[in-house]
Amino acid sequence: MPILEIKDLEKKYTNSVQALKNVTLNINKGELFALLGPNGAGKTTLIGIVCGTVRKTGGTIMVDGHDAESNWRAVRQLIGYVPQELTLNPFDTVWDTLFYQRGFYGRPRNDALLEKILKDLSLWDKRRSMIRELSGGMKRRVLIGKALTNEPRILFLDEPSAGVDVELRKGMWDFVGKLKTEGVTVVLTTHYLEEAELLADRIGIIREGELAFVEEKQALLHRFGEKTLTLFLEKPIDTIPPSLKGFDLILSENKKNLIYHYSKGQTNVTDLLKNLHSERIFYQNMETATSSLEDIFLQLIEKKGETQKITNL
């Protein structure tokens, strides 16, 4: 069942800039949804509207059955939001930051919950430190802790790994995965596409304010992904024989490698190898590679007018 239902969402600014155009999207309970797109595509605007920091100019939003406009108090109780910016009071302690945030939601005091959050985020030893004494990565984790103090049903993470080193990023990924197993719905925007590829159940791609694709991660990788077979030849060849033209081979500049791109569903690699043998072109080694989500993302972003709009699969 969807926990978030967005229908025909629009955002127009006074300078005639349209940040969102008829965005329709359902996000299911307990899933991790990655929203991808280039800078200025509308990702932060979309999240801001759902979380109440940006006013929409059209459309409807339902969060767990509550209208986000007419029943905004109930919706705010269900949502946790981690912004891109480090919006923290530098002179508060880590503990007080979370303690006050829970109070702002009108939640009863729960020190055991705050302790669990800080321990899960590896911040327990820093609970008495002031925010200004923390590293950038630790401040990002404090922001996540703040967003969890009201025990949200759906958590929005807007570029949570920005400026975080590799080790802390890996720890953050593990923590987000743990939240998902606990039943929290997570909506993630990120520029680290390996992050989305590792964590997401479904992926949406937004482009120039329009939702271009929403698809299950594995289906997206299978549908648009391709494999590359590189054959390292025993001897250089000057040209590709006519009998091999149908395979769309590429001969490397040094004449020593043949490169073949094919979709995951194709099964004609065996035919290629047989034809090579018939032409007495022998190879000493081969290497295969599979398209990453980053490859597919760049492919879809570049094909602006050529892709069909697919939503809510």
Side-chain angles (χ1 to χ4, degrees):
M1 292 293 295
I3 192 170
L4 175 61
E5 300 171 84
I6 299 171
K7 186 175 181 180
D8 298 328
L9 189 64
E10 288 194 349
K11 175 59 181 177
K12 295 179 182 177
Y13 290 98
T14 54
N15 58 0
S16 300
V17 172
Q18 188 163 1
L20 294 176
K21 307 169 188 175
N22 297 313
V23 172
T24 295
L25 172 66
N26 287 345
I27 294 177
N28 300 317
K29 291 181 179 179
E31 79 169 327
L32 198 153
F33 185 89
L35 183 63
L36 309 178
N39 289 332
K43 304 185 299 296
T44 299
T45 300
L46 176 59
I47 289 178
I49 291 174
V50 177
C51 295
T53 61
V54 178
R55 287 182 178 272
K56 65 182 174 65
T57 51
T60 59
I61 300 168
M62 302 292 291
V63 180
D64 205 21
H66 301 283
D67 185 276
E69 190 168 30
S70 62
N71 200 1
W72 60 270
R73 289 185 184 274
V75 169
R76 299 298 185 275
Q77 292 284 350
L78 296 169
I79 287 176
Y81 175 45
V82 181
Q84 292 183 34
E85 298 80 12
L86 295 173
T87 52
L88 297 166
N89 186 335
F91 299 103
D92 280 342
T93 66
V94 172
W95 177 269
D96 286 346
T97 298
L98 271 62
F99 183 85
Y100 296 150
Q101 183 71 14
R102 183 169 174 83
F104 294 152
Y105 280 97
R107 298 282 194 176
R109 180 168 178 166
N110 190 337
D111 290 356
L113 172 66
L114 301 190
E115 180 177 342
K116 178 182 182 301
I117 291 171
L118 291 174
K119 286 182 175 178
D120 285 344
L121 288 166
S122 302
L123 288 170
W124 180 247
D125 292 342
K126 298 290 185 179
R127 63 190 182 278
R128 296 190 181 90
S129 300
M130 285 192 289
I131 297 298
R132 65 189 179 93
E133 298 170 345
L134 303 180
S135 67
M138 289 181 179
K139 289 175 183 175
R140 292 230 168 256
R141 283 185 281 164
V142 173
L143 281 176
I144 295 175
K146 275 186 66 177
L148 293 173
T149 57
N150 65 315
E151 302 170 77
R153 299 282 305 281
I154 180 168
L155 178 65
F156 291 88
L157 301 172
D158 196 4
E159 303 287 349
S161 300
V164 176
D165 64 40
V166 174
E167 184 177 357
L168 287 176
R169 195 184 310 155
K170 175 62 168 59
M172 198 174 293
W173 292 352
D174 292 341
F175 179 69
V176 171
K178 183 179 179 183
L179 286 176
K180 183 176 178 297
T181 63
E182 294 173 355
V184 178
T185 303
V186 180
V187 179
L188 168 75
T189 75
T190 180
H191 281 142
Y192 296 105
L193 296 186
E194 72 272 23
E195 192 167 72
E197 189 166 358
L198 175 68
L199 298 172
D201 298 308
R202 286 193 304 153
I203 291 171
I205 296 179
I206 191 169
R207 186 179 57 205
E208 296 179 352
E210 294 185 284
L211 197 60
F213 286 87
V214 177
E215 202 155 357
E216 290 185 1
K217 175 182 65 181
Q218 293 303 329
L220 183 67
L221 290 170
H222 181 77
R223 182 177 177 188
F224 292 100
E226 66 176 13
K227 288 188 174 182
T228 301
L229 173 67
T230 302
L231 298 168
F232 300 92
L233 305 179
E234 288 186 354
K235 297 179 180 178
I237 61 174
D238 293 325
T239 59
I240 297 173
S243 65
L244 299 175
K245 295 291 185 181
F247 292 97
D248 292 326
L249 292 168
I250 298 172
L251 181 63
S252 64
E253 290 185 8
N254 62 9
K255 311 292 186 180
K256 295 180 179 179
N257 303 327
L258 282 174
I259 302 163
Y260 177 46
H261 296 287
Y262 61 102
S263 67
K264 294 182 180 180
Q266 284 182 309
T267 57
N268 55 354
V269 174
T270 302
D271 294 335
L272 169 63
L273 299 181
K274 286 180 179 178
N275 285 12
L276 285 170
H277 187 269
S278 298
E279 293 286 349
R280 302 193 63 78
I281 298 174
F282 303 108
Y283 54 91
Q284 56 187 356
N285 199 359
M286 68 171 63
E287 183 179 275
T288 60
T290 304
S291 297
S292 67
L293 180 59
E294 182 170 358
D295 299 326
I296 296 170
F297 173 76
L298 293 173
Q299 172 189 342
L300 294 177
I301 291 301
E302 288 169 0
K303 292 183 178 180
K304 289 187 178 181
E306 302 173 21
T307 52
Q308 283 189 320
K309 189 174 179 180
I310 302 172
T311 57
N312 301 324
L313 297 183

